[in-house]
């Protein structure tokens, strides 16, 4: 008969279970030991090198891989969980640290007066027992282990420091209401347990015998009996054979099998061995399963069976609330050897003597959960290993990366068990989400509770994101307990084991360790309850404390996943030199390192691992992969050093490869090397596509018809939208962002494109921050948005900052020839082959002498990123054909916005969509010096988002300023009677103007923008109500009435136009208020229509079929925004679809690396010349476009050569020639931009 799954354990595996189950926060954090081989003299080289793929690949018993978990954790989960755990509700954990140990011998020991002075059960004083340990990293045992403090072995602890085991009780006697209100009870804790409780085994006779046996078993390391270089007898030996390795991938021998034949035969090698492994009575016996047959009676366990999962995590009179934020998990120096012994003595499982059966699914799940918890604790200790120490000069806890490497260098499977545990908890979170989403968080702190609710819901919403979906469904609890023969018994045994482990936590004598052990096990128990209880029981089965423990355990795993990478990087940042024992072999002029030390092997592993990762991700071709692997095995010294320092950062590793030894390259780039893509247009969409291709090792020809890069993207001022974790403070969530975008898009919305835009928003902003280096730290709420989700820099205009940084990143590839930038070049035609695929471009390039030069380029991919058509008012233009009534309306787009890319695409058969959808923005500044100029500067949504008020010529408000663009424009146009009736604008009607007014507090929310507009004369600062009325040319009483009504509406929280958010409301005393006022008018701003694309940026023909080789991103494409684009979505569209296109374009095989011979001849670097003083008179003499000096922050810069390259146009610089441009510069740019310019002198005003 087939042997069915049973929960059982042999001796060695029981030893494994010991270290796994209850070294939860002990300094003995080595994973379960392997059986030692006969020969212990052989030194094994670690076969595992953590960077860059320490724990990687699929996770057994789950349907995701490590990379997916890390992506979800980094992109969404970790930042939310970390913030959530700081809230009052989730940092307050109720725990009883005074519960007595259920294990007989220890209770008797305490009665004899050892360790705690004979006080019986341990109270909340610091733990005192510190047994010797077999673990190699534990300090030598003390003679009087009972009297050792819990931190006796903690490295470098100051003499006057508080013991590390001490628990900081926050708040004294001020305990939350839930302690007295019954909130602690764990679900069905009042139900009777499924297994009997422990009988009493105390007797005075046994006391003496047990004391003698315990003293006999204490290990002093065996130093008197062993060779000087031998391992102590109490050390944990290892065995590489898979049959005895508890972490072998087959799991044929692991933590939950029956105890060895010695138990059955009572065949012990010594009395102390029997004391450790033999016992007769138990506290929570597991149901015994006969060998065969094992048929359960037909029937099912009651639905309430799992309700008491957490019942053994007991609480009594010692229950108190602990602030988890004040008691982080860290190294306490506590030695938990006695806990191991306790598990052997008390955790009795079924004994059928069978050690040969492989682990079943349920056993593997429990094993991996416990291993994952153990791994997490080890990581916490490694991250917080060295305590603050005055004598060592440490102000804070510091990590021990070497300790981390020692624990995991040979055992990456332990790290994968951590990831497995994380996905089990996330699966439980998903199942409980309907209950948790509506769970009432109530501590008495209304604001803090609201924040906790928002954060928790944001976490629950993250499971619908593409980047997170897989990890929430990777584990399937329905696969457990499927065996029909003994499923009931299996469930009873499973819970019995969990109860045993939970009970023994009360034997931990370090208060900090006990705290974290009980919290984590309660979190695990809550997850198991959620997974196995029926859905309809969850709402009434979860207590407050269980929810707190559950979320904190998830956060613990999330933090641990990040700690793996952090500790890895810390380790390698301190190992900067190859082993001195490396042999240097010279062959001609070529030198290579033949590494013989362990570090050398590890660095080789790093190099091979990095190359493998680059190849697997498609970032290098096969030829380059072969070349690099060959150089790695030849120990190319430059490649070794690069791998050691950048092996875990693939982007930088790839970017720095061209700087190493030229022998790695065989061909390099040439002018005849056909590019992987030709990108037309250098706004954010084109630059995003270009940079992504370059970062993947591709080659690009970038074409721009203007003389400077940046396009209209350079003018963007409001920000870029993204639904990111940090927005959760303001209640934002993905579905809300999607709904706002769809609402703005109206009937023409394309859900598949909107979903692509929204779901990739967070990654887009993160890429701009991390890869491009843009500060996007400020959040704002624009019109049409339900939440704050628009990101912008703390300094400067968002468009200018992004364009400056991204073009600089692209230009770093010019030297290697990977990118060729062609400005003053207009593409006139797309080249196609016989099958209709686009294979290149033709065009003209204006030379320096003003002549046109014909160009013809080939490439298998052409990317159109040429923008819209809002500035082309010529007869027959797209504007004339589709929206003739808007032909006289001013526009914010540059004069170059003439729809060139649409013309190129349609000539190749591309379809077009939504061409009549041209967005009119409600607020373009009217320059009082040139009011009729058709080109306007945008007054972005930010000006209204911070509190700007719109008023008509009668001094009245007329709309919700935070409404969508289309809504506000409709209200503006509605002042015209004909439009009010027909809803169609008459081309001959004069374009109306309005006043945009900001209070002083509103202006502070957009200070950089306000300063910029003040400098340009677009805003005027006026004092008091009288000054504002005078500027508006209206009676004071009229303006006052409108502002007073606005103040009343703000106080009520709603106005006549359903505005409910009131920022920057003018102060009560209007006479002393400072106002900033300017004139605005509706302007053409964006073209929603364009080429038809799919969600991958492929251009489609009129039959909705892909045109091979043709791609589009940004305003040139249509359909993404529907009827009306939501503010802040333009830069987002450019980044998202530019990135999608840049990542999908195939990179053809070529040698990636090119020799980069820096500092030929080895000459010394010239010392910078000392700056001379430049007076006011000298500065003013350099005031032309051809001789342009500008003073910024006290330094003088010669910007003559930069005038034509300035993305915003030359005027912004030339108007400052010979002057102090500090204020104007600060209003638009961050100071980091000046890093690319060398000052020519120090300004000394005379």
């Amino acid at each position: 008969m087939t042997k069915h799954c049973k929960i059982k354990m042999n001796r060695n595996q029981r030893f494994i279970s010991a270290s796994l189950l209850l070294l939860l926060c002990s300094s003995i954090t080595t994973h379960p030991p392997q059986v030692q081989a006969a020969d212990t003299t052989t030194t094994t080289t670690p076969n595992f090198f953590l960077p860059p793929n320490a724990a990687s690949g699929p996770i057994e018993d789950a349907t995701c891989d490590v990379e997916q978990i890390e992506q979800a954790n980094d992109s969404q989960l970790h930042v939310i969980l970390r913030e959530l755990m700081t809230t009052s509700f989730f940092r307050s954990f109720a725990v009883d640290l005074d519960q007595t140990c259920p294990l007989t011998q220890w209770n008797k020991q305490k009665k004899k007066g050892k360790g705690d002075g004979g006080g019986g059960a341990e109270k909340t004083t610091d733990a005192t027992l510190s047994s010797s340990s077999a673990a190699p990293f534990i300090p030598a045992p003390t003679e009087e282990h009972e009297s050792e403090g819990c931190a006796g072995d903690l490295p470098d602890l100051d003499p006057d420091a508080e013991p590390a085991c001490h628990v900081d009780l926050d708040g004294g006697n001020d305990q939350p209401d839930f302690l007295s209100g019954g909130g602690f009870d764990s679900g069905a804790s009042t139900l009777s347990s499924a297994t009997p409780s422990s009988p009493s085994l105390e007797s005075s006779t046994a006391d003496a015998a047990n004391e003698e046996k315990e003293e006999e078993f204490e290990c002093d390391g065996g130093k008197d009996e062993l060779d000087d270089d031998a391992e102590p007898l109490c050390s944990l030996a290892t065995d590489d054979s898979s049959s005895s390795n508890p972490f072998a991938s087959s799991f044929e021998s692991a933590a939950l099998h029956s105890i060895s034949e010695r138990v059955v035969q009572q065949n012990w090698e010594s009395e102390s061995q029997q004391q450790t492994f033999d016992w007769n009575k138990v506290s929570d016996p597991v149901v015994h399963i006969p060998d065969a047959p094992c048929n359960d009676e037909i029937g099912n366990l009651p639905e309430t069976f799992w309700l008491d999962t957490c019942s053994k995590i007991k609480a009594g009179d010692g229950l108190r609330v602990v602030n988890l934020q004040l008691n982080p998990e860290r190294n306490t120096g506590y030695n938990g050897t006695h806990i191991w012994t306790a598990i052997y003595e008390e955790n009795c499982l079924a004994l059928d003597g069978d050690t040969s059966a492989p682990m079943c699914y349920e056993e593997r799940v429990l094993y991996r959960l416990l291993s994952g918890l153990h791994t997490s604790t080890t990581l916490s200790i490694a991250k917080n290993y060295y305590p603050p120490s005055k004598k060592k000069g440490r102000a804070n806890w510091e990590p021990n990366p070497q300790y981390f490497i020692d624990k995991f260098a040979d055992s990456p499977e332990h790290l994968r068990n951590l990831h497995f545990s994380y996905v089990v908890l996330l699966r439980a979170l998903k199942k409980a989400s309907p209950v948790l989403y509506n769970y009432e968080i109530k501590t008495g702190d209304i604001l803090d509770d609201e924040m906790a609710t928002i954060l928790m819901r944001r976490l629950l919403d993250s499971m619908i994101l593409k980047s997170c979906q897989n990890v929430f469904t990777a584990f399937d609890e329905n696969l457990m307990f499927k065996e029909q023969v003994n499923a009931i018994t299996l469930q009873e045994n499973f819970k019995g084991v969990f109860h045993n482990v939970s009970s023994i936590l009360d034997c931990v004598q370090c208060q900090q360790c006990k705290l974290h052990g009980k919290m984590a096990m309660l979190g695990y128990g809550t997850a198991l309850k959620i997974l196995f209880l029926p859905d309809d029981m969850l709402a009434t089965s979860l207590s407050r404390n269980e929810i707190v423990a559950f979320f904190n355990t998830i956060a613990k795993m999330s933090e641990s996943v990040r700690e793996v990478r952090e500790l890895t990087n810390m380790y390698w940042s301190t190992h900067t030199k190859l082993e001195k024992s490396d042999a240097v072999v010279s062959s001609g002029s070529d030198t290579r390192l033949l590494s013989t030390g362990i570090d050398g092997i590890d660095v080789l592993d790093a190099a091979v691992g990095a190359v493998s990762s680059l190849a697997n991700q498609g970032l290098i071709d096969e030829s380059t992969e072969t070349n690099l692997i060959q150089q790695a095995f030849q120990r190319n010294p430059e490649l070794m050093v690069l791998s050691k320092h950048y092996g875990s950062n693939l982007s930088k590793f790839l970017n720095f490869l061209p700087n190493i030894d030229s022998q790695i390259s065989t061909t390099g780039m040439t002018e005849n090397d056909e590019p992987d893509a030709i990108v037309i247009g250098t706004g954010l969409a084109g630059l995003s596509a270009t940079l992504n291709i370059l970062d993947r090792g591709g080659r690009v020809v970038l074409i721009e018809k203007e003389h400077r890069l940046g396009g209209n993207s350079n003018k963007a001022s409001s920000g870029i939208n993204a639904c990111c974790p940090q927005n959760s403070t303001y209640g934002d969530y993905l579905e809300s962002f999607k709904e706002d975008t769809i609402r703005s898009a109206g009937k023409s919305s394309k859900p598949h494109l909107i979903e692509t835009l929204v779901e990739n928003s967070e990654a887009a902003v993160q890429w701009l921050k991390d890869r491009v280096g843009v500060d996007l730290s400020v959040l704002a709420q624009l019109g049409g948005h339900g939440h704050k989700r628009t990101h912008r820099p703390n300094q400067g205009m968002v468009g200018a900052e992004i364009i400056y940084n991204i073009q600089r990143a692209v230009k770093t590839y010019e030297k290697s020839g990977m990118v060729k930038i062609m400005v003053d070049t207009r593409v006139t035609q797309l080249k196609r082959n016989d099958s209709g695929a686009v294979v290149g471009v033709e065009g003209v390039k204006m030379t320096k002498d003003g002549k046109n030069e014909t160009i013809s380029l080939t490439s298998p991919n052409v990317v159109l990123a040429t923008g819209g058509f809002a500035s082309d008012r010529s007869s027959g233009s797209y504007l004339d054909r589709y929206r003739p009534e808007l032909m006289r309306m001013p526009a914010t787009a540059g004069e170059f916005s003439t729809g060139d890319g649409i013309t190129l695409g349609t000539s190749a058969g591309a379809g077009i969509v939504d061409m009549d959808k041209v967005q009119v923005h409600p607020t373009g500044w009217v320059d009082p010096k040139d009011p009729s100029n058709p080109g306007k500067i945008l007054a972005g949504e930010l000006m209204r988002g911070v509190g700007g008020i719109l008023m008509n010529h009668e001094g009245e408000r007329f709309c919700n300023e935070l409404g969508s663009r289309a809504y506000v424009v409709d209200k503006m146009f509605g002042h015209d009677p004909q439009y009010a009736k027909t809803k169609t604008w008459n081309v001959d009607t004069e374009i109306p103007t309005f006043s945009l007014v900001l209070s002083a507090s509103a202006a502070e929310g957009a200070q950089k923008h306000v300063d910029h507009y003040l400098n340009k004369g677009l805003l005027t600062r006026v004092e008091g109500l009288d000054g504002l009325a005078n500027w508006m040319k209206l009676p004071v009483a009229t303006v006052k009435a409108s502002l007073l009504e606005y103040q009343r509406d703000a106080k009520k929280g709603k106005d006549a136009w359903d505005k409910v958010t009131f920022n920057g409301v003018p102060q009560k005393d209007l006479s002393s208020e400072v106002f900033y006022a300017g004139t605005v008018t509706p302007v053409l701003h964006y073209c929603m229509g364009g080429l038809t694309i799919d969600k991958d940026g492929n251009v489609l023909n009129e039959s909705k079929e892909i045109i091979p080789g043709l791609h589009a991103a940004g305003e040139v494409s249509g359909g993404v925004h529907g009827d009306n684009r939501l503010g802040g979505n333009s830069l987002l569209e450019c980044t998202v679809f530019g990135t999608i296109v840049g990542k999908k374009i195939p990179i053809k095989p070529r040698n990636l690396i090119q020799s980069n011979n820096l500092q030929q001849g080895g000459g010394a670097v010239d010392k910078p010349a000392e700056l001379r003083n430049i007076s006011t008179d000298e500065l003013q003499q350099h005031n032309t476009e051809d001789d342009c000096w500008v003073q910024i922050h006290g330094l003088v810069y010669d910007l003559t050569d930069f005038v034509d390259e300035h993305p915003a146009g030359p005027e912004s610089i030339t108007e400052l020639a010979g002057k102090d441009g500090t204020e104007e510069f600060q209003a638009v740019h961050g100071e980091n931009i000046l890093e690319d310019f060398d000052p020519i002198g120090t300004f000394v005003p005379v």
Side-chain angles (χ1 to χ4, degrees), residues 1131-1150:
L1131 294 179
L1132 178 61
E1133 175 195 18
C1134 292
T1135 309
V1136 167
F1137 285 93
T1139 297
I1140 288 174
V1141 169
K1143 285 185 174 180
K1144 70 165 184 172
I1145 284 178
I1147 306 301
K1148 76 175 185 177
R1150 63 166 61 87

Side-chain angles (χ1 to χ4, degrees), residues 174-425:
D174 298 329
Q175 304 292 359
D177 294 338
F178 67 85
L179 279 185
S180 57
F184 177 80
D185 292 341
S186 57
S189 59
T190 58
L191 299 177
S192 60
S193 174
T195 49
S197 59
S198 173
S200 173
L201 297 178
E202 298 183 10
S203 70
S204 58
T205 303
D207 283 351
N210 284 333
E211 179 179 359
E212 291 176 2
K213 291 181 179 180
E214 183 185 56
E215 294 299 328
E216 179 184 346
F217 187 69
E218 294 304 324
C219 177
D220 63 0
K223 57 180 180 290
D224 296 332
E225 300 292 333
L226 302 174
D227 294 335
D228 293 339
D229 58 349
E231 289 284 340
L233 290 175
C234 45
S235 66
L236 308 181
T238 61
D239 188 329
D240 293 334
S241 64
S242 61
S243 61
S244 60
N245 181 356
F247 305 109
S249 59
S250 64
F251 288 99
E252 290 185 358
S253 178
L256 297 175
H257 280 292
S258 64
I259 197 165
S260 70
E261 286 77 4
R262 291 193 183 277
V263 179
V264 179
Q265 300 171 7
Q266 291 293 297
N267 181 22
W268 304 106
E269 296 176 357
S270 66
E271 183 179 5
S272 62
Q273 186 187 72
Q274 180 178 5
Q275 166 64 27
T276 304
F277 295 106
D278 193 18
W279 64 93
N280 297 306
K281 297 184 180 181
V282 297
S283 63
D284 193 4
V286 178
V287 178
H288 178 78
I289 306 175
D291 281 342
C294 49
N295 296 316
D296 290 324
E297 295 183 5
I298 298 176
N300 296 307
L301 290 170
E303 289 186 341
T304 58
F305 175 74
W306 294 100
L307 275 176
D308 68 336
T309 304
C310 305
S311 62
K312 294 301 179 181
I313 304 171
K314 298 177 181 178
D317 294 339
L319 186 66
R320 70 207 60 210
V321 173
V322 174
N323 187 330
L324 294 172
Q325 291 293 302
L326 298 180
N327 294 279
E329 188 172 29
R330 56 197 181 196
N331 185 17
T332 66
Y334 174 62
N335 186 329
T337 307
H338 52 295
I339 297 297
W340 296 21
T341 306
I343 293 181
Y344 311 148
E345 290 177 342
E346 196 68 11
N347 189 28
C348 181
L349 303 179
L351 306 178
D352 64 357
D354 185 356
T355 62
S356 62
M359 294 180 70
C360 65
Y361 181 65
E362 291 77 10
E363 290 176 308
R364 293 200 307 270
V365 168
L366 184 55
Y367 163 73
R368 285 198 169 96
L369 286 174
L370 297 172
S371 174
L373 184 57
H374 184 200
T375 296
S376 176
T377 298
T378 304
L379 290 166
S380 296
I381 292 172
K383 187 69 182 296
N384 300 279
Y385 191 87
Y386 296 107
S389 173
K390 296 176 184 177
K391 61 184 179 182
K392 293 292 183 178
R394 288 195 299 264
N396 302 299
W397 283 83
E398 294 183 3
N400 186 346
Q402 182 64 57
Y403 173 85
F404 161 72
I405 293 293
D406 290 344
K407 299 306 143 202
F408 298 109
D410 291 319
S411 307
E413 62 273 18
H414 302 165
L415 300 177
R416 284 193 288 272
N417 289 338
L418 167 71
H419 290 80
F420 174 81
S421 303
Y422 194 16
V423 299
V424 172
L425 291 166

Side-chain angles (χ1 to χ4, degrees), residues 718 781-784 920-924 938-950 959-969 972 996-998 1002 1006 1046 1059 1061-1064 1080 1127:
S718 294
Q781 180 176 349
L782 303 187
V920 180
H921 194 285
T923 53
L938 183 71
E941 268 79 9
L942 176 65
M943 303 305 292
R944 288 175 282 133
V946 296
I949 303 170
L950 288 172
C959 69
N960 175 0
E961 289 87 356
L962 296 182
S964 69
R965 294 175 176 180
Y967 159 82
V968 178
V969 169
M972 288 178 163
L996 178 60
V997 179
L998 291 84
Y1046 186 68
K1059 184 174 183 177
T1061 301
F1062 296 85
N1063 298 317
V1080 294

Side-chain angles (χ1 to χ4, degrees), residues 1028-1042:
L1028 178 61
N1030 183 59
W1031 181 86
M1032 296 180 69
K1033 298 181 173 56
L1034 289 171
V1036 173
T1038 301
V1039 179
K1040 181 177 181 179
S1042 294

Side-chain angles (χ1 to χ4, degrees), residues 425-433 436 459-460 472 550-551:
L425 291 166
L426 292 177
R427 166 59 191 147
L429 182 66
K430 179 178 177 61
K431 184 181 177 186
S433 60
L436 296 173
L459 178 67
L460 297 173
F472 282 95
F550 177 51
F551 275 89

Side-chain angles (χ1 to χ4, degrees), residues 682-972:
T682 62
L684 181 55
L687 291 172
S688 295
T690 298
L691 186 56
N692 274 282
I693 296 170
L694 293 172
D695 282 348
R696 294 173 52 221
R699 185 169 185 257
V700 179
V701 172
L702 183 59
I703 298 178
E704 171 58 58
K705 71 177 182 179
E706 297 296 301
H707 187 67
R708 63 191 63 87
L709 312 185
N712 287 317
S713 301
N714 188 68
K715 301 181 178 183
S717 60
S718 294
I720 176 172
N721 295 332
C723 184
C724 297
Q726 56 263 41
N727 291 32
S728 60
T729 304
Y730 304 97
D732 194 16
Y733 54 99
L734 194 67
E735 198 61 31
S736 173
F737 186 13
K738 190 180 300 183
E739 289 173 357
D740 289 344
T741 305
I742 291 175
R743 186 183 304 111
S744 182
K747 296 180 180 179
S748 300
S749 67
K750 312 287 189 298
H752 66 292
L753 296 178
I754 291 176
E755 288 176 2
T756 300
L757 180 76
V758 170
E759 291 177 1
N760 288 281
S761 63
E762 190 230 359
V765 165
Q766 200 62 45
W767 181 75
L768 290 173
K769 290 179 179 180
D770 297 341
R771 176 62 183 94
V772 181
V774 182
D775 166 36
L776 295 172
S777 58
V778 179
L779 274 176
Q781 180 176 349
L782 303 187
H785 292 265
H787 300 89
K788 286 187 176 182
R789 64 170 68 103
T790 305
H791 302 245
R792 57 184 174 86
N794 186 46
Q795 293 183 341
M797 297 292 189
V798 62
E801 291 294 296
I802 291 176
I803 292 301
Y804 178 81
N805 282 277
I806 195 171
Q807 71 168 331
R808 182 169 63 173
V810 168
K811 287 180 178 179
T812 61
Y813 286 94
E814 277 191 293
K815 189 172 184 178
S816 65
M818 297 303 289
V819 65
K820 180 178 182 180
I821 301 175
M822 303 176 66
V823 296
D824 300 316
T825 303
R826 180 187 297 273
V827 175
T828 57
Q829 184 178 343
L830 298 180
K831 300 168 67 172
R832 305 175 71 191
N833 61 18
D834 294 340
S835 62
V838 174
V839 294
V841 302
E842 294 180 352
V844 293
K845 176 178 175 58
M846 182 179 294
T847 61
K848 292 182 178 180
D849 57 6
K851 297 180 180 180
N852 288 334
E853 178 182 291
T854 301
I855 64 166
S856 180
L857 302 172
T858 61
S859 173
N861 297 282
V862 173
V863 181
L864 298 174
T866 54
F869 54 86
S871 290
D872 188 359
R873 297 179 180 82
S874 62
S875 177
S877 65
Y878 292 119
L879 193 63
D880 187 31
R881 288 157 56 186
Y882 292 101
R883 293 297 298 274
E885 76 278 13
L886 303 179
M887 286 285 282
R888 292 181 55 189
M889 196 163 290
T892 60
E895 295 180 356
F896 46 79
S897 299
T898 55
D900 298 357
I902 299 175
T903 301
L904 290 171
T906 53
S907 67
I912 52 178
V913 62
D914 295 339
M915 291 295 287
D916 60 330
K917 306 299 188 298
V918 178
Q919 184 177 74
V920 180
H921 194 285
T923 53
W925 293 114
V926 177
D927 188 344
K929 301 185 297 293
D930 189 11
S932 61
N933 192 321
K936 303 295 184 187
I937 294 175
L938 183 71
E941 268 79 9
L942 176 65
M943 303 305 292
R944 288 175 282 133
V946 296
I949 303 170
L950 288 172
M951 304 175 76
N952 58 24
H953 289 293
E954 285 73 40
E956 300 171 340
R957 290 181 62 237
F958 54 89
C959 69
N960 175 0
E961 289 87 356
L962 296 182
S964 69
R965 294 175 176 180
Y967 159 82
V968 178
V969 169
D970 180 70
K971 291 294 185 180
M972 288 178 163

